[in-house]
Amino acid sequence: MNRIDHTLARLRQRPRSALVSYFTAGDPDFATSLRLLQGLGAAGADLIELGLPFSDPVADGPAIQAAHIRARAAGQTAARTLELVQALRQSDAQTPVILMGYLNPVMQYGAAGFMQDAARAGVDGLILVDLPVEHMAPYHQLAQEAGLHLIRMTAPTSDDVRLEKVLQGATGFVYHVTLTGTTGAASCTAAQVETALAQVRRHTTLPLAAGFGIRTPVQVRELAGVAELIVVGSRLVEVLAAQGVEAALAEVQALAAALRG
Amino acid sequence: METQTTPYCGEGPDAAGLFGRFGGAYMPETLMPALDALTRAFEAAIADPAFWSAYRGILSDYVGRPSPLFLAERLSAALDGAQIYLKREDLNHTGAHKINNCVGQILLAQRMGKRRVIAETGAGQHGVATATVCALFGLECAVYMGAEDMARQAANVRRMRLLGAEVRAVHAGTATLKDAMNEALRDWITNVGDTYYLLGTGAGPHPYPRLVREFQRIIGIETREQILTKTGRLPDAMVACVGGGSNAIGFFHPFLAEPAVRFYGVEAGGLGLVSGKHAACLGAGSPGVLHGNLTYLLQDGDGQIINAYSISAGLDYPGVGPEHALLHECGRVKYESATDAEALDAFHWLARLEGILPALESAHALAFARKLAPTLGRDQNLVVCLSGRGDKDVDTVIAHQEAAQ
């Protein structure tokens, strides 16, 4: 069973929302990134979202753009990201890993080979920000064959007609972008998210993730029970950049405590 | 890799925005509904005679079209080959072909009820043209421009500000056109409700490549009428520079179905293709996805985009419009390149022989025409798209002249 399904099924029993921590693979370098990833499970991250560095991350705000630049400067590539996950699996066999990135590095690696190698390395899911449903079919097929979830994204701009189309055949969970903006942009209120997710739920029975604009334990607590998965990214990336691995893990702990408290 | 057996003659794109396998709309979900809405608004507009009437009216009374087709007699005599005609887009208001597209898109923005317009610019020509139409229509305007380009093209930055636009410096990445486009897309993702993204070249997500082509086709439509009037027949060859490729596609498109006409797109060869410092995506790149479309890109084996380089800021982009990618693969258009040095040389050559300072972008097309014309007979006609004027490049040209001495 895919680790994402396993984790979400387990949390449904509790019931409790899952914390998804985002960091960029190889930020600031491979060894530091690995040390951070190895600590995430114990710090309370239920799922690990790992950014695939790209030269032109158009959906990302300044914090994650800077992380991509640092990682690439340290030699991070798509292949090195799979090595990173493989290395993580030596110490953490359970926490689901979802790669999040842009299509071109996957395309140049070779999509079929990438999906197979990713699954073999211990990846469970893939989010490709610039791969809309219109172009998704061949990639969806390859992901299915590899046993990966290719996660669908919805946005505040997706109306009911569009949601129906986007969510047709979705697997794993659905990633809802809570605001019209790039990652790390101004925050959203729990009430807004609840309304938006209710609309998405009319078109899917899958668990829903809320991401973009969620930064603090207070926000996380307010969203507990509203979304099955709560994603925090830019804030964690900022702490890692400014204060290092231990501080970033402490931040994850604080966010996790808000869900368990 | 698919190979086309019958040449593509401009029939695309299909409903999904594909030119063969190129193009499409590879964008975050947040923007997909906006792209759909733009497609619908565009379809409705082009089916409405009143829209075209407004577009043609502004082009004639404000832009100054039709732009002349000029027989460059001294140039032709010097090369002792084909008769060279210049399509004078440099004589348009704001000094380049960019305004044609801006007029079409600002009318669309108005129909869609948008109050704010954003754009990216490289050399500043598209930024100036966008700032101009925003002033004309009373819309708020923000232009994203790489900090590096702002230094190279300071005069255009001042022009945009005088026209009332806010110029936002982009320091990210290479601080050139590619990064300006990233930043404009981020703005659009954030302000998609009230903002119109006025994209300046024939690349980007569907429907932009089609939309920009339709608004630039006026170049080719006029050229066709003019050359038939002057010579009684179609041209034998057509040459245009290609960065994103908007002047080239507008110039070529009305002729693509004519088997007798040969087409040459000229990319920026920079310091030479072997140097790795160039912007020749078709000459030395490979297919991939950037800025919403599948096309030829400059990229490394990991799919990271490589910095383009050219003396000409307007050609300094690591991608190319998807329709050019298809025209390249099916062989309907031949893509060549001209180096910085060849373009500079062509700049001086046109200035001295015909009294015209061409934009450095257009000088790339001239540099290739200079090689092509002597291989053609004196009874052949060659039309070059002189896409812009060189006033903005005078400082760059003089700096190179001084460095060479």
Side-chain angles (χ1 to χ4, degrees):
Chain A
M1 192 182 194
N2 185 294
R3 292 179 197 86
I4 294 171
D5 301 323
H6 188 262
T7 297
L8 293 176
R10 183 168 51 80
L11 291 177
R12 205 173 295 132
Q13 303 302 318
R14 301 275 168 101
R16 170 170 77 72
S17 296
L19 176 67
V20 185
S21 66
Y22 171 97
F23 290 95
T24 301
D27 173 27
D29 57 61
F30 188 94
T32 310
S33 189
L34 178 59
R35 195 154 58 82
L36 171 76
L37 293 177
Q38 286 167 337
L40 285 177
D46 296 300
L47 294 92
I48 294 172
E49 193 180 343
L50 194 55
L52 284 164
F54 184 48
S55 50
D56 296 85
V58 294
D60 286 298
I64 295 178
Q65 287 176 46
H68 284 230
I69 290 169
R70 287 191 296 270
R72 292 186 54 229
Q76 194 68 20
T77 59
R80 290 281 282 163
T81 297
L82 299 187
E83 286 172 30
L84 188 62
V85 176
Q86 197 163 21
L88 169 67
R89 287 291 175 230
Q90 307 300 313
S91 62
D92 182 346
Q94 267 104 48
T95 313
V97 172
I98 301 141
L99 299 181
M100 182 181 201
Y102 295 81
L103 179 59
N104 201 47
V106 171
M107 190 182 267
Q108 300 311 319
Y109 188 104
F114 184 84
M115 306 269 189
Q116 292 293 334
D117 291 353
R120 207 170 298 132
V123 171
D124 306 285
L126 186 59
I127 302 174
L128 294 172
V129 181
D130 57 350
L131 181 64
V133 68
E134 280 79 355
H135 297 294
M136 197 177 270
Y139 298 92
H140 178 84
Q141 179 70 27
L142 293 171
Q144 292 280 296
E145 285 163 17
L148 299 179
H149 289 305
L150 182 57
I151 303 298
R152 308 288 171 98
M153 298 184 92
T154 58
T157 49
S158 323
D159 63 13
D160 283 310
V161 174
R162 177 112 196 130
L163 286 171
E164 192 60 36
K165 183 172 169 183
V166 169
L167 297 177
Q168 186 74 43
T171 70
F173 63 90
V174 174
Y175 191 121
H176 182 73
V177 175
T178 59
L179 45 82
T180 53
T182 52
T183 53
S187 55
C188 48
T189 69
Q192 287 168 326
V193 176
E194 190 156 16
T195 306
L197 293 188
Q199 191 189 4
V200 177
R201 281 187 211 284
R202 290 208 290 272
H203 304 274
T204 185
T205 53
L206 290 174
L208 304 185
F212 287 41
I214 303 167
R215 301 177 61 86
T216 66
V218 172
Q219 277 179 295
V220 168
R221 192 174 303 120
E222 285 170 0
L223 288 172
V226 174
E228 285 86 350
L229 302 93
I230 301 166
V231 187
V232 181
S234 296
R235 170 68 190 158
L236 294 175
V237 167
E238 286 165 12
V239 172
L240 174 67
Q243 301 167 55
V245 170
E246 278 65 35
L249 290 173
E251 192 76 14
V252 172
Q253 249 165 0
L255 294 165
L259 284 179
R260 288 170 173 84
Chain B
M1 190 181 290
E2 291 169 37
T3 49
Q4 291 280 128
T5 46
T6 49
Y8 169 80
C9 295
E11 305 85 345
D14 68 12
L18 294 171
F19 299 90
R21 66 184 166 126
F22 299 107
Y26 294 88
M27 277 279 119
E29 176 60 22
T30 305
L31 291 180
M32 295 303 290
L35 291 167
D36 282 345
L38 178 59
T39 302
R40 287 194 302 273
F42 172 67
E43 299 287 355
I46 60 173
D48 179 0
F51 175 82
W52 287 114
S53 160
Y55 169 77
R56 294 288 181 127
I58 296 169
L59 288 186
S60 69
D61 298 348
Y62 184 73
V63 174
R65 301 200 73 94
S67 67
L69 184 70
F70 172 67
L71 172 60
E73 291 185 50
R74 281 174 34 89
L75 222 63
S76 308
L79 295 173
D80 195 23
Q83 301 304 301
I84 300 176
Y85 289 84
L86 303 177
K87 178 58 175 166
R88 299 290 308 276
E89 292 299 302
D90 59 315
L91 294 177
N92 293 338
H93 179 44
T94 72
H97 71 290
K98 292 291 187 186
I99 190 84
N100 306 328
N101 168 47
C102 289
V103 169
Q105 289 205 50
I106 203 78
L107 287 167
L108 262 186
Q110 191 187 40
R111 281 175 77 102
M112 295 176 78
K114 302 292 182 180
R115 59 157 197 93
R116 176 174 180 266
V117 170
I118 56 170
E120 81 297 333
T121 195
Q125 292 303 106
H126 174 59
V128 167
T130 303
T132 298
V133 295
C134 285
L136 183 65
F137 281 77
L139 297 178
E140 187 184 328
C141 178
V143 178
Y144 289 91
M145 188 169 187
E148 175 75 18
D149 288 338
M150 286 177 74
R152 284 198 280 190
Q153 306 283 344
N156 273 343
V157 174
R158 289 193 292 270
R159 290 168 77 195
M160 284 184 268
R161 288 180 175 147
L162 288 171
L163 289 161
E166 181 194 349
V167 182
R168 298 189 177 174
V170 178
H171 297 277
T174 54
T176 62
L177 179 55
K178 152 181 106 74
D179 308 287
M181 203 153 161
N182 289 341
E183 223 37 56
L185 284 167
R186 290 181 186 120
D187 181 315
W188 202 29
I189 287 171
T190 307
N191 303 297
V192 61
D194 66 355
T195 297
Y196 184 93
Y197 181 18
L198 207 164
L199 209 153
T201 192
H206 176 66
Y208 285 106
R210 173 164 174 228
L211 196 150
V212 173
R213 180 191 76 198
E214 290 307 309
F215 295 143
Q216 291 294 0
R217 282 183 88 245
I218 189 70
I219 306 172
I221 292 168
E222 285 176 7
T223 301
R224 193 179 172 107
E225 286 171 14
Q226 291 165 322
I227 197 82
L228 286 174
T229 302
K230 284 181 197 289
T231 69
R233 61 192 186 85
L234 294 170
D236 298 285
M238 301 177 75
V239 181
C241 65
V242 176
S246 71
N247 90 87
I249 202 67
F251 183 53
F252 295 160
H253 193 263
F255 294 88
L256 285 174
E258 302 290 351
V261 184
R262 277 163 294 151
F263 305 94
Y264 300 89
V266 187
E267 297 188 294
L271 303 181
L273 298 200
V274 290
S275 72
K277 292 188 77 73
H278 59 78
C281 297
L282 295 169
S286 58
V289 169
L290 176 70
H291 294 150
N293 64 140
L294 175 63
T295 187
Y296 274 71
L297 305 173
L298 301 180
Q299 58 183 330
D300 68 16
D302 187 42
Q304 308 292 335
I305 306 308
I306 293 174
N307 300 340
Y309 164 80
S310 170
I311 189 172
S312 143
L315 301 181
D316 195 348
Y317 178 66
V320 64
E323 197 162 11
H324 287 292
L326 179 57
L327 288 165
H328 167 65
E329 283 201 347
C330 75
R332 185 68 187 103
V333 177
K334 211 164 167 332
Y335 293 86
E336 306 280 346
S337 63
T339 63
D340 284 2
E342 289 169 329
L344 279 167
D345 212 36
F347 177 100
H348 291 293
W349 180 66
L350 189 71
R352 295 299 179 91
L353 277 182
E354 299 286 358
I356 299 169
L357 301 180
L360 280 173
E361 290 78 10
S362 322
H364 286 73
L366 287 165
F368 176 73
R370 222 174 152 182
K371 294 180 190 168
L372 180 65
T375 70
L376 304 174
R378 270 176 233 152
D379 58 338
Q380 306 252 296
N381 296 319
L382 165 61
V383 190
V384 179
C385 186
L386 198 69
S387 56
R389 63 175 174 239
D391 307 41
K392 69 186 176 58
D393 297 314
V394 166
D395 290 346
T396 305
V397 171
I398 288 172
H400 276 80
Q401 209 171 17
E402 285 168 355
Q405 276 163 5

